[in-house]
Amino acid sequence: MNKSQFLGLLHSHLSVLPPEECNELMEDYEAHFAFALQNGRTEEEVILELGHPEELAREALGNRFIPKEPVYWFGGQEAPTPVRPQVPEVSLRNGFMKSMVYTGLFFVDIIVVPSLLALWSFWICFPIVAFVGIISPVLLGLDYLTDGVFYPAKGYAVIALVGIGILFTIASKSTFKVFKDMSLAFKAWHTRTVKGALRHE
Amino acid sequence: MDINIQFKKGALELCVLVLIHERDRYGYELAQSVSEHIEVAEGALYPLLRRLVVEGYCTTYLQESTGGPPRKYYRLTSAGEIHMKMLVIEWKQFVKSVSTLIEKGTQHS
C-alpha cells in the first residue's frame, strides 16, 4: 500500500462524515505524510505508524457519538456542569397592560413602603431598649460617682432593667427576622409583578 | 495485545493534553512525541485532536512552514487545562489503586 492508496481507502471510510469534517481529517493525514516525508521517512513507514485506515475511520466515527460530558476514570470529583445556552425571554404583556400594572403597583407601594418603613423605625426601639437595659448598671455607677449617694431602690430597678434588656435583645433578634422576611417577600413579589409572566422562545 | 491497545487509547488523551500543555504543538510533532514514549497507531491522534477541539479543550491556529504545508498548532484552553489536571489526578489514583490490588493479589500466590 502506498500513500495515495492509503488516503483513498481512508477517504472512502470517512465519507460518511459531514464533508467538512471528512476534509479536515483528510487534510490532517495529508499534512502528516508531508511532514514525515520531509523528515526522511518512507511512505511505507508512515503508513505502518499511522495504523489501518479502517481502524482510524472507526476511531473518527466513534468519537462523534461519545457523550459531551467528560468521563473520568475515577469518581470523586464532579464533572463541570455544562453552560446552558441563554434563551431570550419575551414578556406576555402588551404596553397597555404594562402601564396598568405599574399604576397599580404605584398605589400599592405608596401604602406599603411607608408602612414597612414605620415598622422598621419601630423596630429600632427594640435594640435601643435592650442596649440601655444591659448597660444600666454602668449608668447607675456613674450616677453614684456624681451624686455620691446610693439609693437601694435604684439598685433594684437596675436589676429589673438588665432583665428587660436581655429579653429585648432576644425580641429584637426575632422581630428582625420577621420584619426582614416580610420586607424581602414584598420586594420579591414586587419584582415578580413588574416582570410578569415570561415565555421562553 | 488487544487489551494493551485499549489501555493506550485511554491514556492517549491524557498524554496529548500534557504535551500540548507543555507547549503548543502541531499534529506531526505530537505523533512523534507520543511515539517516543508509547507505541500507538499515530493516525488515531487526529480524530482525538478533532474531538478535543470540538469539546473546547483546545484551539488551533495555522503557522506557515518552510517547504511544507502550514502547521496546524494546537493550544490548550483554560477548560482544557482543568480537564488535563483532573485527568492526571484520576490517572494517578487509578494507577495507584490497580497497583495496590495487584500487589495484594500476587503476594499470596
Side-chain angles (χ1 to χ4, degrees):
Chain A
M1 189 157 50
N2 61 25
K3 176 185 153 187
S4 58
Q5 281 171 321
F6 178 92
L7 290 175
L9 206 56
L10 193 60
H11 190 263
S12 71
H13 282 299
L14 289 179
S15 54
V16 288
L17 287 172
E20 193 190 314
E21 265 173 65
C22 173
N23 290 338
E24 207 186 308
L25 280 169
M26 289 311 294
E27 273 171 29
D28 286 337
Y29 288 113
E30 276 164 36
H32 185 95
F33 268 106
F35 292 125
L37 296 176
Q38 209 178 5
N39 283 8
R41 319 299 296 269
T42 66
E43 286 185 10
E44 293 296 316
E45 279 176 329
V46 179
I47 288 165
L48 217 63
E49 283 166 355
L50 278 175
H52 296 289
E54 211 176 312
E55 274 289 315
L56 301 180
R58 202 176 304 150
E59 199 77 19
L61 297 179
N63 271 342
R64 284 180 55 78
F65 303 110
I66 66 144
K68 285 284 279 177
E69 293 282 294
V71 178
Y72 297 104
W73 279 298
F74 231 73
Q77 255 167 312
E78 286 272 318
T81 44
V83 184
R84 267 172 205 285
Q86 284 284 318
V87 188
E89 287 175 330
V90 177
S91 178
L92 293 174
R93 292 199 188 119
N94 60 29
F96 174 71
M97 279 163 81
K98 262 187 199 158
S99 61
M100 288 315 279
V101 167
Y102 293 154
T103 315
L105 274 176
F106 171 73
F107 283 110
V108 173
D109 287 353
I110 55 169
I111 301 301
V112 175
V113 172
S115 309
L116 281 172
L117 283 175
L119 271 179
W120 278 109
S121 48
F122 169 66
W123 176 82
I124 297 278
C125 302
F126 281 66
I128 291 174
V129 170
F131 178 72
V132 173
I134 287 167
I135 65 152
S136 57
V138 180
L139 298 177
L140 181 68
L142 288 175
D143 182 49
Y144 178 71
L145 281 179
T146 47
D147 289 356
V149 204
F150 180 74
Y151 296 103
K154 279 187 181 174
Y156 295 128
V158 159
I159 293 169
L161 276 174
V162 172
I164 290 169
I166 291 168
L167 290 178
F168 265 81
T169 310
I170 298 164
S172 59
K173 209 181 152 198
S174 51
T175 46
F176 176 77
K177 199 183 170 316
V178 172
F179 287 4
K180 194 188 87 182
D181 288 349
M182 223 153 67
S183 309
L184 287 180
F186 176 71
K187 189 173 162 269
W189 171 82
H190 198 276
T191 329
R192 270 204 312 279
T193 314
V194 168
K195 258 201 215 152
L198 294 171
R199 182 174 38 147
H200 289 269
E201 287 280 89
Chain B
M1 182 59 195
D2 211 31
I3 294 167
N4 207 0
I5 289 174
Q6 292 303 318
F7 279 164
K8 285 172 183 171
K9 267 189 197 164
L12 192 59
E13 178 174 346
L14 176 56
C15 295
V16 165
L17 286 169
V18 170
L19 285 169
I20 302 172
H21 179 248
E22 201 182 339
R23 61 162 194 267
D24 297 358
R25 291 174 194 258
Y26 63 104
Y28 183 71
E29 186 189 2
L30 274 170
Q32 295 294 101
S33 313
V34 170
S35 309
E36 255 176 51
H37 301 280
I38 48 175
E39 198 184 307
V40 68
E42 289 176 4
L45 269 182
Y46 295 102
L48 169 67
L49 285 170
R50 215 195 117 73
R51 177 165 66 80
L52 291 178
V53 172
V54 171
E55 285 177 346
Y57 296 141
C58 290
T59 53
T60 59
Y61 60 94
L62 289 177
Q63 208 168 73
E64 292 302 321
S65 67
T66 45
R71 292 168 175 179
K72 187 155 89 178
Y73 275 90
Y74 293 85
R75 175 187 284 145
L76 208 61
T77 62
S78 49
E81 203 177 323
I82 293 167
H83 181 58
M84 182 208 76
K85 283 180 178 158
M86 266 164 106
L87 279 181
V88 170
I89 294 169
E90 306 279 331
W91 173 264
K92 283 182 179 165
Q93 259 179 325
F94 178 72
V95 169
K96 213 173 90 188
S97 308
V98 174
S99 309
T100 321
L101 188 148
I102 292 171
E103 262 170 46
K104 268 192 191 170
T106 48
Q107 257 169 19
H108 302 292
S109 59

